[in-house]
Amino acid sequence: MGPPPKKKLPAGAIVAIVLGSLVLVAGLGYAAKAGLEGATGSFPEATHRLTVPKTLLAGRYTLVSDLSDTQGKEIEDTPDFTVKDAKAAVGQYSGKDGAALVLSGMYGRIKNGRTTRASILRGAATEKGSTLVVRPRDFTPAGYGVTVSCQVTTSKDGLSTTTLPMCAWGDDSTAAAVALVTPETATTDPEDIDLAELAATTVKIRAEVRKPLG
């Protein structure tokens, strides 16, 4: 007989874990924790903003709550020497079979997008209860010309441990994290998560939510 199948977490538990662990990643992970790394030089002009649309990826994910004006305030109020005029964009989405997707980011004038991208992931990995299991890896999905960094952490809550994959991007005007968890992936071995697939999903979401100013 083989090992017993892993239990799937209920959809409600997935949403609670993802929101509790990742919704404020963008605010908690920026240069306030990274120190003054990348803080030298001038600020670029802002060219784009982030939106929180009603649906993502051709309707596969539906907006449950736009948290930009509530939890997103944490992002705007976090001191950061590498970002000017920061505005939050935070959305919680639901998908098929209990999937939960969180977009947590900001837009403004970002001095070093690569540094911001790295500090977002660092913030998630150092959040209370989180453990970095799969270190950040860079991906440049074909057809988009955008590099994103992806990692996997685990979050321990009582006796249960949840797998939390996420990717982040950063450019001169926008930076955000995308976390996508299903009842199946929440109990998957972190090493078995397909980060290349999540990276491809992330750049597609970026293309949908990143809009020119004006």
Side-chain angles (χ1 to χ4, degrees):
M1 295 179 62
K6 292 184 177 181
K7 293 182 178 179
K8 293 194 302 182
L9 289 181
I14 295 296
V15 172
I17 291 168
V18 174
L19 285 178
S21 300
L22 299 178
V23 76
L24 294 181
V25 160
L28 296 174
Y30 289 147
K33 287 193 173 184
L36 296 179
E37 181 183 358
T40 60
S42 59
F43 286 91
E45 290 299 318
T47 59
H48 289 76
R49 60 188 176 92
L50 291 181
T51 61
V52 181
K54 297 296 183 183
T55 63
L56 287 172
L57 301 175
R60 285 168 52 196
Y61 296 93
T62 302
L63 182 66
V64 175
S65 183
D66 185 339
L67 304 168
S68 304
D69 293 331
T70 53
Q71 281 92 334
K73 289 294 293 179
E74 181 90 6
I75 297 171
E76 298 175 2
D77 294 341
T78 299
D80 190 333
F81 296 101
T82 69
V83 178
K84 277 187 176 181
D85 307 322
K87 297 292 183 182
V90 182
Q92 172 201 346
Y93 293 82
S94 64
K96 186 179 178 181
D97 297 328
L101 186 151
V102 172
L103 167 72
S104 181
M106 51 77 67
Y107 58 97
R109 299 170 64 193
I110 302 173
K111 187 166 290 189
N112 188 321
R114 183 176 179 179
T115 297
T116 301
R117 183 177 80 218
S119 63
I120 290 173
L121 295 182
R122 186 161 48 243
T126 56
E127 179 68 3
K128 184 178 179 181
S130 293
T131 301
L132 179 63
V133 181
V134 179
R135 297 179 62 83
R137 295 169 53 195
D138 288 348
F139 297 88
T140 307
Y144 288 88
V146 177
T147 297
V148 298
S149 300
C150 305
Q151 68 182 22
V152 185
T153 64
T154 57
S155 178
K156 193 168 182 61
D157 182 17
L159 298 177
S160 64
T161 300
T162 304
T163 299
L164 296 171
M166 65 179 299
C167 295
W169 80 79
D171 54 54
D172 287 351
S173 296
T174 69
V178 171
L180 175 57
V181 184
T182 70
E184 290 80 12
T185 61
T187 56
T188 296
D189 186 322
E191 299 288 348
D192 292 336
I193 295 293
D194 189 343
L195 287 180
E197 181 180 359
L198 181 58
T201 298
T202 297
V203 296
K204 291 175 184 177
I205 291 173
R206 177 183 181 271
E208 291 185 25
V209 302
R210 186 175 178 269
K211 303 296 183 182
L213 290 174

